[in-house]
Amino acid sequence: MTQVTVRIYKQGNKMWRDFKAELIKRYENSAILDISESEAFSKIEKQEFNNLIVVSKKAIVEKRAVSGIDDSDILKTSVNNGLKKISKKRKEARAKYARRISEAASQCDTLTDVAKRIGKSTTFVKRVADEFKIKLPRRNNGHEEIVSR
């Protein structure tokens, strides 16, 4: 099925660290692993455990495998497509605000007046103006803006 890496497994007074095993079944807080191909266990230990061990999910390094997500490629593409749709909508919204900001900037004397007229914060107005290269008033709330910021 899926190969996972176990950080630590303790049985009695023996301890095994950082070994690979095949994931057979997932439970709520643990998982059954097949250790028949694992090199960390001796032949006798594999026979004692019947080639199976139950490990806590906290001890497994690959969290995706034990949380029930086997096809990580499918997940990545669906998440990326969703993010592209969201960013496209946001860009369209910023373009709509850019038109309003350019109109307000030509009519207002201060940056805060522009922000009030549009109904957004001054930081949002600055960000959209930078993105769409809109010239804003140099005065901020009646005071000359410091150029170094």
Side-chain angles (χ1 to χ4, degrees):
M1 196 174 165
T2 307
Q3 192 172 47
V4 294
T5 304
V6 179
R7 201 175 309 132
I8 188 167
Y9 177 69
K10 201 172 185 180
Q11 182 72 29
N13 60 353
K14 291 197 84 176
M15 188 183 319
W16 295 268
R17 290 181 178 270
D18 300 321
F19 63 91
K20 297 205 179 285
E22 291 287 323
L23 178 67
I24 293 180
K25 191 168 184 178
R26 293 179 283 267
Y27 293 103
E28 193 171 328
N29 296 318
S30 61
I32 293 181
L33 304 177
D34 178 19
I35 57 168
S36 60
E37 301 295 319
S38 179
E39 297 173 5
F41 295 91
S42 69
K43 215 176 214 182
I44 296 168
E45 290 168 342
K46 289 178 185 177
Q47 286 176 340
E48 285 177 9
F49 296 137
N50 199 17
N51 289 331
L52 300 174
I53 58 173
V54 178
V55 177
S56 169
K57 281 188 178 179
K58 292 178 183 177
I60 297 176
V61 176
E62 289 87 1
K63 299 297 179 198
R64 297 185 85 123
V66 294
S67 64
I69 302 168
D70 289 331
D71 264 341
S72 59
D73 293 341
I74 292 172
L75 177 72
K76 286 178 187 173
T77 55
S78 66
V79 167
N80 286 341
N81 290 341
L83 289 174
K84 285 179 186 173
K85 287 179 184 175
I86 290 171
S87 67
K88 186 178 179 183
K89 286 180 184 176
R90 286 184 181 159
K91 188 166 187 166
E92 290 170 358
R94 285 193 307 269
K96 179 183 76 173
Y97 278 111
R99 288 187 289 275
R100 292 174 57 193
I101 288 171
S102 63
E103 290 172 11
S106 64
Q107 297 171 357
C108 296
D109 292 336
T110 64
L111 180 63
T112 46
D113 289 341
V114 173
K116 284 179 186 175
R117 183 171 280 192
I118 288 169
K120 291 288 186 176
S121 67
T122 55
T123 54
F124 176 80
V125 171
K126 285 181 183 178
R127 199 175 321 127
V128 173
D130 284 342
E131 185 178 345
F132 291 95
K133 295 178 179 50
I134 300 170
K135 188 162 174 63
L136 291 173
R138 294 202 38 92
R139 295 178 61 82
N140 184 11
N141 206 14
H143 301 288
E144 194 67 31
E145 194 170 332
I146 298 172
V147 179
S148 64
R149 286 189 194 170

